[in-house]
């Protein structure tokens, strides 16, 4: 399973990259707002220079011509850029055209299996079903991941399932069990994946015992 980080924060991206965990990055306009700054294109290029993998950058136009123009600009920024396009009719039309041109796309804001089927037929590189936002409205986000994985397997679609809107480690576990190709994970959740109280307790005991061992060894060496 590939791990992407769901952030535009360069410090978080650098940290995750240093751990050797990153296969890519997803951004969106809300994450850009959170990261701050005024140079959107420069920021995307900086992310590409940190990470050795796909970096999703989102268009903000909602009409076909506007989406295509933004997509061409974004794709030209760096070879790692994947153009993120919303799952609306004009977006699907643009994904079809971009796919024919060899420009990779991440079809975002997916909330149903029919939307995912349409995105795959249009040739999207990734489909981003939003797990957490579905859970928020008492609908199983994970059931959607399972349905999409099954539908894509039934027909051999190449579109990769990118579990998005991940809120906690269980979302990552369940996405992996369902066979999602990628999980895009916020930095805080990425760190939680490594945490276990028994690991902390076990390490504390090992270090305490090691200190006692060294003390005993020093005493015995001093005595001989
Ligand atoms: C990623 O591609 C999405 O934009 C992101 O995961 C949305 O997450 P949120 O629902 O926490 O905003």
């Amino acid at each position: 399973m590939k791990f992407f980080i769901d952030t535009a924060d360069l410090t978080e991206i650098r940290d995750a990259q240093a751990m050797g965990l990153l296969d890519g990055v997803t951004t969106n306009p809300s994450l850009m707002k959170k990261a701050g700054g005024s140079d959107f294109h420069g920021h995307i290029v900086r992310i590409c220079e940190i990470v050795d993998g796909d970096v999703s950058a989102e268009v903000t136009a909602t009409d076909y011509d506007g989406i295509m123009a933004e997509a061409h600009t974004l794709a030209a920024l760096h070879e790692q850029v994947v153009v993120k396009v919303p799952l609306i009719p004009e977006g699907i039309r643009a994904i079809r055209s971009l796919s024919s041109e060899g420009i990779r796309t991440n079809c975002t804001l997916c909330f149903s299996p029919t939307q995912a089927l349409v995105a795959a037929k249009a040739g999207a590189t990734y489909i981003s079903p939003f797990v957490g936002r579905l859970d928020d409205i008492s609908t199983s986000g994970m059931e959607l991941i399972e349905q999409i994985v099954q539908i894509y397997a039934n027909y051999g679609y190449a579109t990769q399932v990118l579990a998005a809107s991940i809120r906690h480690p269980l979302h990552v576990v369940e996405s992996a069990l369902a066979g999602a190709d990628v999980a895009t994970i916020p930095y805080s959740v990425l760190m939680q994946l490594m945490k276990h109280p028994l690991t902390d307790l076990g390490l504390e005991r090992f270090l305490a015992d090691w200190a006692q061992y060294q003390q005993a060894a020093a005493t015995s060496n001093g005595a001989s």
Side-chain angles (χ1 to χ4, degrees):
M1 184 189 216
K2 284 188 241 170
F3 279 4
F4 288 2
I5 191 167
D6 198 21
T7 184
D9 183 308
L10 297 180
T11 306
E12 291 183 348
I13 294 168
R14 275 193 203 98
D15 276 8
Q17 173 67 20
M19 280 186 281
L21 287 179
L22 274 200
D23 299 301
V25 178
T26 50
T27 67
N28 64 35
S30 304
L31 292 170
M32 288 305 303
K33 179 185 145 202
K34 198 169 161 198
S38 56
D39 177 15
F40 171 48
H41 292 163
H43 198 95
I44 294 295
V45 171
R46 278 191 285 282
I47 294 175
C48 291
E49 285 166 354
I50 297 169
V51 179
D52 186 21
D54 290 349
V55 175
S56 288
E58 190 157 341
V59 300
T60 50
T62 54
D63 63 294
Y64 174 80
D65 290 336
I67 293 172
M68 290 300 290
E70 279 188 43
H72 286 136
T73 303
L74 291 173
L77 290 176
H78 199 283
E79 61 187 7
Q80 286 165 238
V81 169
V82 173
V83 181
K84 212 170 173 189
V85 180
L87 212 159
I88 54 176
E90 297 280 287
I92 292 297
R93 191 180 149 208
I95 286 170
R96 173 78 276 161
S97 302
L98 293 167
S99 168
S100 314
E101 292 176 26
I103 293 177
R104 295 175 310 138
T105 54
N106 174 354
C107 188
T108 190
L109 291 166
C110 171
F111 294 95
S112 79
T114 54
Q115 288 181 313
L117 188 50
V118 165
K121 286 180 72 67
T125 311
Y126 295 100
I127 182 71
S128 287
F130 278 36
V131 177
R133 291 194 198 182
L134 278 171
D135 287 358
D136 289 346
I137 57 160
S138 304
T139 303
S140 170
M142 210 40 67
E143 198 178 312
L144 175 60
I145 298 284
E146 288 163 6
Q147 289 172 332
I148 299 171
V149 168
Q150 178 69 61
I151 290 168
Y152 284 7
N154 286 351
Y155 296 98
Y157 285 119
T159 302
Q160 296 181 55
V161 181
L162 192 167
S165 189
I166 295 277
R167 300 275 162 80
H168 48 69
L170 195 54
H171 276 156
V172 179
V173 174
E174 289 176 342
S175 296
L177 286 170
D181 300 283
V182 189
T184 189
I185 310 170
Y187 181 80
S188 59
V189 177
L190 195 65
M191 298 311 286
Q192 279 179 290
L193 296 183
M194 289 171 266
K195 284 295 280 184
H196 198 287
L198 289 178
T199 303
D200 295 341
L201 187 62
L203 183 60
E204 197 181 307
R205 283 196 194 146
F206 282 154
L207 293 180
D209 287 343
W210 181 243
Q212 285 182 19
Y213 169 85
Q214 283 183 307
Q215 204 171 20
T219 308
S220 117
N221 287 339
S224 58

